[in-house]
Amino acid sequence: MYLLIVTLLLPGSFVAGAFGRFLGSRGTATITTMCVSLCSIFLLIAFYEVALGASVCYIKIASWIISEMFDAFRGSLFDSLTVVMLIVVTFVSSLVHLYFISHMSEDPHSSRFMCYLFIPTPFMLMLVTGDNSIQLFLGWEGVGLALYLSINFWFTRLQANKAAIKVMLVNRVGDFGLALGIMGGFTLFQIVDFSTIFACASAFSEPNHFFLFCNMRFHAITVICILLFIGAVGKFAQIGLHTWLPDVMEGPTPVSALIHAATMVTAGVSMIARCLLLFEYLPNALIVVTSVGAMMLFFAATTGILQNDLKRVIAYFICSQLGYMIFACGIFNYSVSVFHLMNYAFFKVLPSLSAGPVIHAMSDEQDMRKMGGLASLLPFTYAMMLIGSLSPIGFPFLTGFYSKDVILEPAYTKYTISGNFAFWLGSVSVFFTSYHFFRLLFLTFLAPTNSFKRDMLQCHDAPILMAILLICLAFGSIFVGYLAKDMMIGLGTNFWANFLFISPKNEILAESEFATPTIIKLIPILFSTLGAFVAYNVNFIANEFIFALKTTSFGNGLYCFLNKRWFFDKVFNDFIVRSFLRFGYEVSFKALDKGAIEILGPYGISYTFGELAKQISKLQSGFVYHYAFAMLIGLTIFITIIGLWDFISFWVDNRLYFIYTVTFSFINLEGDISTN
């Protein structure tokens, strides 16, 4: 059964890619959806055996790379982390595949899109089940490829092309860090197998193990963990490498739901959680993780409050939730991070897929300012969007309430600067997240309509298949947190016994449960309520005040700063991208490719010998005495050099001959260029 879980998706992927155009949209969707759904069913059985039965399954499939003392096997590891991640991946993927059948049935290239949509799932299975870093890296790159293809599905749209290229380039930076981390791990441990690396981690965490770079010593495992985290930052869209995430919205609606909820973000959390035994011994590396997660959370929450694109608002909500998961890992709360990811898969996909019927009803209009009054026309979609908005802001007794508070409270009871920094940024971000979600609801569904009459007349709610899927996700957004809380993060649970290890000095979950003051526990709920109240007043009551504020220099500057996403794109373009482009043209292209390489390469050699042959041909006068004189002069010079070689060799370096030859070539080339 476990082998079937790993291999079941491969035939479906092959059929969708090779025969999709012959099977048509419906046939391709049927095959791929059946494969993913069967995989989900098998994973439920695996979940019972591995997680609930505390029975780890390890399968060594075949030898992969064997070179002297280096062995890398193709294997699959099923523990609690693996089965939880895979259930999230396959369940969300199967729902998105079903959603696709209804949402894009009229697209002429839907069979090709179904192939693109199916690609991330088998690569995620390879990444999550991999028992070595090479297999993880292959799955990692495959997910990135699937992201590029999915975003660029509408390749005739210029913005989709630009977004896909941007996604690929930004992810290259993170992938380069991950590759360096894997190489560093192999250099230190001489193996790529996870179980061996984690078994040796405590021994290699001593200060006497270091890398030497620029005559400076760097602690080896700290460097490896930071590089691995850079890889996670790229895929996980954390601050610095986050600029690609909003551009995913240029692709079709199912792309954002599948990529964000089931693949890309799962890849980042899976990698950090899998390597927790490396991070466990390095509090300095975890301070970096905590700080980056908290800053990304605050950045995304503040940026989303002034975005006007419906899908872009949801994208920045995604960024903020990713920040929660990252800083939960940074405070040794790995189980809570994975629990929040499982909850997030429901309450993230729900608003993303609910946005599809809204955009379709408004004739593909995504600007919220041009909507309004849709609550009476799309009551079911409004109800789904309301549930998907209340759950992530931590509304009491919904799914998000049970994981978000358990992330913030341990940050407070960590009693460190980084912990308090993360707690207060996270708490303030709850206010901004609540504001921009309620702003979305007010502008789209409750405010007076600003849309065209023809759009209002053609409005229709979600079709029956789409409605069933949204109801399933709404059920998860309401009940999953309550049902799974005690099992996954309850005190004394052994759910993670076959995967999770936390040093006793880092265990703070019990203290956060009983030692956190009540007022601290109430802060997230108070901020959520305040955000909803402010959103109502700003969008319905205080319109004149807000307009007057925006016309002032301070208000205009603040609006531009937040609406333009803290000018990250401008800074990257002006100071980094342009510098690289200038270097690529002036140095790499003109000086190297068209300069030194061509002159010293085939073109320079052929040109030099051609010119040399022309000059020598001019010496052919046809007179015998000229030839006799040249032979005499040459023989005299040769005999003189041979006779005085001991004296000459002391003053002349043989390497000068090469310099003379190259100089002669340049002189000839420059003379010819100036003549032409």
Side-chain angles (χ1 to χ4, degrees):
M1 182 188 71
Y2 293 97
L3 278 176
L4 201 59
I5 291 172
V6 178
T7 58
L8 182 62
L9 299 182
L10 297 179
S13 179
F14 174 75
V15 170
F19 305 105
R21 61 186 301 179
F22 305 108
L23 296 172
S25 172
R26 187 71 62 167
T28 306
T30 302
I31 291 175
T32 54
T33 306
M34 283 180 59
C35 289
V36 179
S37 301
L38 283 174
C39 193
S40 300
I41 295 171
F42 290 141
L43 275 166
L44 290 175
I45 303 174
F47 179 81
Y48 174 77
E49 291 184 357
V50 174
L52 302 182
S55 176
V56 177
C57 178
Y58 174 66
I59 304 173
K60 185 176 288 188
I61 299 174
S63 60
W64 198 358
I65 302 173
I66 299 178
S67 176
E68 295 184 356
M69 297 184 67
F70 172 63
D71 290 345
F73 285 88
R74 170 74 172 87
S76 296
L77 174 65
F78 289 87
D79 56 11
S80 298
L81 175 68
T82 303
V83 293
V84 170
M85 290 289 184
L86 290 185
I87 283 179
V88 170
V89 171
T90 54
F91 179 74
V92 172
S93 182
S94 58
L95 291 183
V96 171
H97 279 70
L98 289 170
Y99 179 90
F100 159 84
I101 296 174
S102 175
H103 181 70
M104 298 188 65
S105 57
E106 299 178 359
D107 195 290
H109 304 289
S110 55
S111 59
R112 176 167 60 88
F113 179 72
M114 178 56 76
C115 177
Y116 291 168
L117 196 67
F118 189 72
I119 289 175
T121 311
F123 278 116
M124 273 305 302
L125 263 69
M126 178 187 296
L127 187 155
V128 176
T129 62
D131 67 329
N132 60 75
S133 54
I134 297 178
Q135 192 172 330
L136 179 144
F137 187 74
L138 289 178
W140 193 274
E141 293 301 306
V143 172
L145 169 66
L147 177 64
Y148 173 80
L149 294 174
S150 302
I151 295 173
N152 206 24
F153 169 68
W154 288 320
F155 55 85
T156 55
R157 294 180 62 236
L158 179 61
Q159 288 301 320
N161 296 152
K162 291 163 65 176
I165 293 172
K166 181 179 180 181
V167 167
M168 183 60 72
L169 291 178
V170 173
N171 272 274
R172 288 307 90 203
V173 179
D175 294 351
F176 182 65
L178 177 67
L180 289 180
I182 292 173
M183 294 176 194
F186 176 71
T187 302
L188 183 64
F189 298 103
Q190 296 297 306
I191 199 168
V192 294
D193 185 68
F194 284 142
S195 58
T196 307
I197 290 175
F198 299 153
C200 300
S202 60
F204 283 91
S205 62
E206 300 298 327
N208 59 328
H209 297 283
F210 56 86
F211 290 137
L212 195 63
F213 180 74
C214 292
N215 207 28
M216 294 184 291
R217 294 184 177 186
F218 297 93
H219 187 220
I221 295 189
T222 301
V223 172
I224 292 170
C225 288
I226 294 297
L227 290 172
L228 292 176
F229 179 64
I230 290 174
V233 165
K235 277 286 187 291
F236 216 52
Q238 293 302 291
I239 195 162
L241 297 178
H242 67 279
T243 54
W244 64 268
L245 189 65
D247 295 299
V248 175
M249 299 304 174
E250 296 297 336
T253 299
V255 173
S256 61
L258 181 64
I259 293 296
H260 291 160
T263 54
M264 297 292 279
V265 301
T266 311
V269 172
S270 174
M271 194 268 290
I272 293 179
R274 178 66 66 196
C275 298
L276 65 91
L277 285 174
L278 293 179
F279 285 94
E280 188 70 19
Y281 299 102
L282 304 168
N284 292 334
L286 286 175
I287 289 175
V288 175
V289 174
T290 306
S291 303
V292 169
M295 288 188 292
M296 184 61 206
L297 170 60
F298 182 74
F299 160 77
T302 54
T303 303
I305 62 176
L306 291 177
Q307 300 300 312
N308 298 312
D309 188 294
L310 176 63
K311 293 171 71 174
R312 198 172 288 270
V313 171
I314 298 173
Y316 280 106
F317 149 69
I318 295 164
C319 290
S320 65
Q321 299 304 308
L322 303 185
Y324 280 117
M325 299 177 207
I326 284 290
F327 92 65
C329 290
I331 57 175
F332 306 100
N333 248 1
Y334 309 102
S335 59
V336 177
S337 178
V338 178
F339 177 58
H340 187 65
L341 181 138
M342 185 186 72
N343 297 342
Y344 156 90
F346 292 99
F347 61 64
K348 187 275 158 193
V349 177
L350 183 58
S352 292
L353 297 186
S354 298
V358 174
I359 296 170
H360 186 69
M362 303 307 310
S363 302
D364 295 330
E365 178 61 61
Q366 296 182 197
D367 193 334
M368 296 187 300
R369 295 170 298 182
K370 298 179 181 179
M371 300 180 186
L374 297 180
S376 58
L377 298 174
L378 307 173
F380 176 78
T381 304
Y382 170 62
M384 296 298 103
M385 187 69 82
L386 180 63
I387 295 172
S389 302
L390 292 176
S391 184
I393 65 174
F395 190 82
F397 311 115
L398 297 186
T399 290
F401 170 77
Y402 292 100
S403 57
K404 179 173 288 188
D405 286 6
V406 184
I407 291 175
L408 292 173
E409 291 166 12
Y412 178 82
T413 54
K414 192 135 174 37
Y415 304 119
T416 61
I417 295 176
S418 60
N420 278 281
F421 174 76
F423 171 78
W424 287 110
L425 274 188
S427 299
V428 173
S429 300
V430 171
F431 165 77
F432 291 112
T433 305
S434 174
Y435 174 86
H436 80 241
F437 252 124
F438 275 97
R439 177 174 176 265
L440 181 151
L441 291 173
F442 292 146
L443 291 181
T444 306
F445 294 100
L446 302 176
T449 183
N450 289 318
S451 57
F452 294 107
K453 182 179 180 180
R454 58 176 175 82
D455 294 335
M456 304 295 290
L457 294 176
Q458 296 174 1
C459 272
H460 60 86
D461 221 326
I464 183 64
L465 179 60
M466 197 180 295
I468 293 172
L469 301 178
L470 294 177
I471 289 172
C472 293
L473 291 170
F475 179 85
S477 300
I478 296 172
F479 298 110
V480 163
Y482 171 75
L483 296 175
K485 178 178 183 292
D486 289 333
M487 177 183 68
M488 296 183 69
I489 60 172
L491 295 178
T493 180
N494 63 347
F495 183 83
W496 305 103
N498 56 24
F499 151 69
L500 188 62
F501 168 77
I502 298 179
S503 175
K505 65 180 180 181
N506 297 328
E507 180 59 65
I508 56 174
L509 203 56
E511 185 172 358
S512 68
E513 181 72 22
F514 300 108
T516 306
T518 304
I519 185 61
I520 297 297
K521 291 187 175 186
L522 292 176
I523 283 177
I525 298 176
L526 295 176
F527 275 128
S528 296
T529 307
L530 182 62
F533 177 75
V534 172
Y536 174 79
N537 281 274
V538 166
N539 292 283
F540 285 106
I541 298 175
N543 288 328
E544 295 183 1
F545 171 75
I546 295 301
F547 180 77
L549 178 63
K550 286 195 291 188
T551 53
T552 63
S553 58
F554 172 76
N556 186 41
L558 181 64
Y559 183 90
C560 290
F561 179 72
L562 297 179
N563 184 259
K564 296 297 182 182
R565 304 177 289 279
W566 288 27
F567 294 108
F568 266 103
D569 288 328
K570 181 174 178 58
V571 170
F572 283 167
N573 289 333
D574 291 350
F575 295 99
I576 298 177
V577 175
R578 288 186 182 178
S579 300
F580 275 104
L581 291 176
R582 192 178 301 112
F583 173 84
Y585 179 72
E586 297 290 343
V587 178
S588 179
F589 178 71
K590 288 178 66 176
L592 295 179
D593 290 349
K594 291 295 184 182
I597 294 176
E598 284 202 4
I599 293 173
L600 298 177
Y603 173 76
I605 294 173
S606 62
Y607 178 82
T608 300
F609 278 101
E611 290 300 313
L612 187 61
K614 288 180 183 179
Q615 297 298 327
I616 293 175
S617 65
K618 294 179 181 179
L619 300 176
Q620 304 294 325
S621 62
F623 298 108
V624 176
Y625 55 83
H626 284 174
Y627 301 150
F629 178 74
M631 292 170 63
L632 180 62
I633 292 297
L635 183 62
T636 303
I637 294 173
F638 179 73
I639 294 173
T640 303
I641 291 174
I642 293 298
L644 300 176
W645 179 251
D646 292 337
F647 176 75
I648 295 174
S649 62
F650 180 78
W651 300 99
V652 178
D653 192 340
N654 293 330
R655 290 171 292 186
L656 290 175
Y657 298 139
F658 175 74
I659 297 175
Y660 294 153
T661 305
V662 174
T663 305
F664 178 72
S665 303
F666 274 99
I667 291 173
N668 284 340
L669 185 62
E670 290 293 332
D672 183 72
I673 292 174
S674 61
T675 303
N676 294 333

